[in-house]
């Protein structure tokens, strides 16, 4: 029958040799992460005299809340040195915060459950419910622990070489950029560095995450990087977001970062920085799908399907342009899907579309979008030349009050063991010791 023990009970318990003599006291339990499988206990850290030594799991015959029993009284007294890939449960997990992937929040691990399966011990569950003060003072368990499957969490190990052994994404790959940004804003310095280390494995995702960060968090996290590293992130961001991020950097760092940008992105950023950040020109996306009015509907749809470099929010319409990029009309993609493929764009497009100038206040753009039920508004200069397009998400980012951004987000649906979104739990709630 499988057995359960709890780390909080094991710590500082005597370690007894095969002859019954006390060898030392337990300091920590070492596990090895195994991807989607439960972490395997590979050894113990035991204090013997004045030093901490390593005991391999094969030498342990029993883990019990009262004592840990060894197969032999012989112990290698060489001082313990942590190896790559080793996770220390007391030092790295117990009392530390982990990422609750299902609820997208940082929670603290107050206890750790170990389960014996055949002749091995594995880490199966975490208790993430804060113990009441009375429970701590009395040393009892007066409140029911919140035991949840280890597979619901992503640990923040802190030890760089051990964190690398976990793999490039692990469970964080399930989260959206906005979710990762929320975690970064709640994380402390050490936690945020580890989350960013993981995200850095995918440069496109990293750029998306920085786009979602609040300006103060974005500036703080970018400010800890070199000019070249900042430029690498900004090069993959939308040009309007990159311009905002650059403007928020200290004056002394803007030009070096700008010089390190690829020429194409640098040109876009410089263009946007020439406008008021709260105007249509400062918020617009420069890349749009623009075609001649004589193009057919079928050609426009093929061009839209191939326009993978454009942000999806800006790809709601095809813009008809004439000489010197003068705006002649707008054809929403939905209408093109319903039109005759052989028809010309100028036959199906709105030839007098709603538009805004680059100096138009964002609040006025919001009113235009509301009055005409628009997702995008083209931005044109005094000569009616198409400069870019402002999207509804850019407008919302600009007009939502700051105190609304800071309020508590809506709660996530309650987690339930066995939900298909996560691997099923080995059991619903293990009994308390």
């Amino acid at each position: 029958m499988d057995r359960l023990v709890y780390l909080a009970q094991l710590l500082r318990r005597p370690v007894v040799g095969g002859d019954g003599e006390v060898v030392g006291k337990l300091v920590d339990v070492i596990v090895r992460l195994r991807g989607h499988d439960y972490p395997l206990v590979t050894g113990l850290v035991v204090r013997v005299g004045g030093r901490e030594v390593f005991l391999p799991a094969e030498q342990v015959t029993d883990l019990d809340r009262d004592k840990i029993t060894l197969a032999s009284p012989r112990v290698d007294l060489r001082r313990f040195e942590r190896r790559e890939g080793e996770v220390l449960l007391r030092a790295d997990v117990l009392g530390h915060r982990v990422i609750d992937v299902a609820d997208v929040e940082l929670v603290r691990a107050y206890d750790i459950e170990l389960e014996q399966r055949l002749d091995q011990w594995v880490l199966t569950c975490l208790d993430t419910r804060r113990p009441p003060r009375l429970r701590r003072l009395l040393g009892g368990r007066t409140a029911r622990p919140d035991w949840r499957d280890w597979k619901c969490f992503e640990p923040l190990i802190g030890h760089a070489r051990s964190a690398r052994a976990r793999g490039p994404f692990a469970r964080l790959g399930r989260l959206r950029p906005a979710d990762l940004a929320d975690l970064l804003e709640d994380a402390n310095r050490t936690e945020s560095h580890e989350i960013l280390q993981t995200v850095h494995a995918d440069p496109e995702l990293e750029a998306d995450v920085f786009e979602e960060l609040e300006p103060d968090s974005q500036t703080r996290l970018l400010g800890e990087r070199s000019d070249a590293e900042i430029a690498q992130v900004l090069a993959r961001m939308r040009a309007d977001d990159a311009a905002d991020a650059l403007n928020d950097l200290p004056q002394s760092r803007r030009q070096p970062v700008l010089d390190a940008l690829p020429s194409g992105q640098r040109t876009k950023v410089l263009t946007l920085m020439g406008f008021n950040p709260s105007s249509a020109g400062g918020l617009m996306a420069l890349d749009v799908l623009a075609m001649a009015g004589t193009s057919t509907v079928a050609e426009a749809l093929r061009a839209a399907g191939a326009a993978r470099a454009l942000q999806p929010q800006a790809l709601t319409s095809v813009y008809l342009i004439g000489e010197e990029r003068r705006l002649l009309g707008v054809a929403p993609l939905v209408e093109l899907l319903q039109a005759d493929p052989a028809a010309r764009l100028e036959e199906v497009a709105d030839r007098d579309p709603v538009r805004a100038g680059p100096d138009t206040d964002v609040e006025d753009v919001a009113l235009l979008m509301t009055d005409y039920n628009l997702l995008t508004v083209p931005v044109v200069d005094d000569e009616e030349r198409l400069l870019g397009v402002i999207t509804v998400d850019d407008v919302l980012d600009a007009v939502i009050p700051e105190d609304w951004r800071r309020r508590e987000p809506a709660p996530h649906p309650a987690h339930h063991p066995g939900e298909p979104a996560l691997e099923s739990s080995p059991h619903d709630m293990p009994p308390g010791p």
Side-chain angles (χ1 to χ4, degrees):
M1 179 178 177
D2 294 343
R3 292 179 53 217
L4 303 176
V5 294
Y6 303 92
L7 184 65
Q9 296 177 329
L10 292 177
L11 295 175
R12 294 180 295 278
R13 292 297 182 266
V15 178
V16 178
D19 57 359
E21 294 294 323
V22 174
V23 173
K25 290 187 176 181
L26 182 67
V27 173
D28 217 325
V29 175
I30 305 169
V31 300
R32 174 168 51 85
L33 301 183
R34 302 187 293 172
H36 292 294
D37 207 350
Y38 292 103
L40 176 68
V41 174
T42 59
L44 309 177
V45 180
V46 177
R47 182 173 296 280
V48 179
R51 67 173 60 195
E52 294 180 358
V53 302
F54 170 75
L55 293 179
E58 295 78 11
Q59 194 174 343
V60 180
T61 60
D62 191 25
L63 287 178
D64 185 83
R65 60 184 296 177
D66 296 320
K67 64 181 179 181
I68 295 93
T69 305
L70 306 180
S72 166
R74 294 188 177 184
V75 174
D76 187 341
L77 293 178
R78 285 179 296 180
R79 191 175 298 277
F80 167 70
E81 293 185 5
R82 182 171 180 162
R83 295 176 295 182
E84 184 169 340
E86 291 182 336
V87 176
L88 278 61
L89 295 186
R90 181 192 64 80
D92 300 332
V93 182
L94 187 65
H96 295 265
R97 295 204 296 181
V98 296
I99 298 173
D100 183 331
V101 179
D103 291 342
V104 194
E105 62 179 344
L106 287 161
V107 297
R108 200 168 299 280
Y110 291 102
D111 208 346
I112 299 171
E113 175 190 278
L114 302 174
E115 181 175 335
Q116 186 178 29
R117 297 185 175 181
L118 299 177
D119 58 345
Q120 296 180 321
W121 288 88
V122 293
L123 190 170
T124 52
C125 288
L126 297 181
D127 174 15
T128 58
R129 179 169 298 171
R130 182 188 299 274
R133 179 173 175 80
L134 180 62
R135 172 177 157 196
R136 293 199 303 270
L137 290 175
L138 298 179
R141 291 179 175 263
T142 60
R144 195 179 190 190
D146 185 17
W147 289 108
R148 292 181 58 201
D149 194 313
W150 165 261
K151 295 179 181 180
C152 296
F153 304 100
E154 180 67 24
L156 294 170
I157 299 168
H159 185 250
R161 291 188 299 161
S162 299
R164 286 197 301 268
R166 177 175 53 199
F169 268 113
R171 300 176 184 89
L172 292 189
R174 303 178 186 183
L175 303 183
R176 298 181 180 90
D179 295 331
L180 291 167
D182 287 342
L183 289 173
L184 283 168
E185 287 163 359
D186 185 39
N188 61 34
R189 184 185 180 92
T190 301
E191 293 165 343
S192 63
H193 283 178
E194 185 161 345
I195 294 171
L196 283 174
Q197 271 188 335
T198 303
V199 172
H200 186 66
D202 183 343
E204 297 297 334
L205 176 62
E206 182 180 40
D208 290 342
V209 170
F210 270 95
E211 287 178 356
E212 297 291 344
L213 287 169
E214 293 295 324
D216 53 348
S217 297
Q218 184 187 81
T219 302
R220 173 175 56 83
L221 293 172
L222 284 176
E224 296 172 355
R225 302 187 174 200
S226 68
D227 295 336
E229 290 170 338
I230 296 174
Q232 288 174 358
V233 176
L234 267 55
R236 292 183 171 87
M237 292 171 63
R238 291 165 36 184
D240 54 328
D241 289 317
D244 290 341
L246 192 62
N247 269 325
D248 289 335
L249 290 175
Q251 181 76 35
S252 61
R253 303 202 64 183
R254 293 177 196 168
Q255 192 61 49
V257 172
L258 193 60
D259 291 341
L261 285 174
S263 58
Q265 182 77 332
R266 181 168 61 249
T267 299
K268 294 177 184 178
V269 169
L270 282 171
T271 298
L272 292 168
M273 291 177 70
F275 298 108
N276 186 320
S278 62
S279 69
L283 293 171
M284 66 182 175
L286 296 176
D287 296 321
V288 299
L289 181 55
M291 302 183 70
T294 54
S295 304
T296 66
V297 168
E299 290 171 338
L301 291 175
R302 283 197 297 271
R308 293 181 173 84
L310 295 185
Q311 65 179 95
Q313 298 91 333
L315 193 58
T316 63
S317 300
V318 178
Y319 296 90
L320 281 61
I321 56 172
E323 295 181 1
E324 298 183 349
R325 286 183 63 86
R326 284 188 172 85
L327 181 66
L328 302 179
V330 176
L333 283 180
V334 171
E335 294 183 13
L336 294 181
L337 288 169
Q338 298 169 341
D340 180 358
R344 292 187 299 183
L345 289 180
E346 60 192 8
E347 298 171 354
V348 298
D350 177 0
R351 302 301 298 273
D352 185 25
V354 175
R355 66 202 79 185
D359 296 325
T360 305
D361 289 338
V362 67
E363 290 84 0
D364 292 331
V365 178
L367 289 174
L368 285 175
M369 287 183 163
T370 301
D371 289 343
Y372 293 95
N373 296 319
L374 300 174
L375 295 176
T376 58
V377 173
V379 181
V380 298
D381 64 12
D382 293 338
E383 302 296 326
E384 292 293 313
R385 289 179 293 232
L386 181 63
L387 301 176
V389 61
I390 186 167
T391 63
V392 66
D393 64 311
D394 290 325
V395 171
L396 287 174
D397 282 343
V399 302
I400 290 178
E402 192 67 24
D403 56 339
W404 287 18
R405 295 174 181 272
R406 300 294 183 183
R407 71 179 182 179
E408 284 293 318
H412 292 266
H415 57 261
H416 300 286
E419 285 183 339
L422 294 168
E423 296 89 344
S424 60
S425 173
H427 44 255
D428 192 349
M429 183 75 70

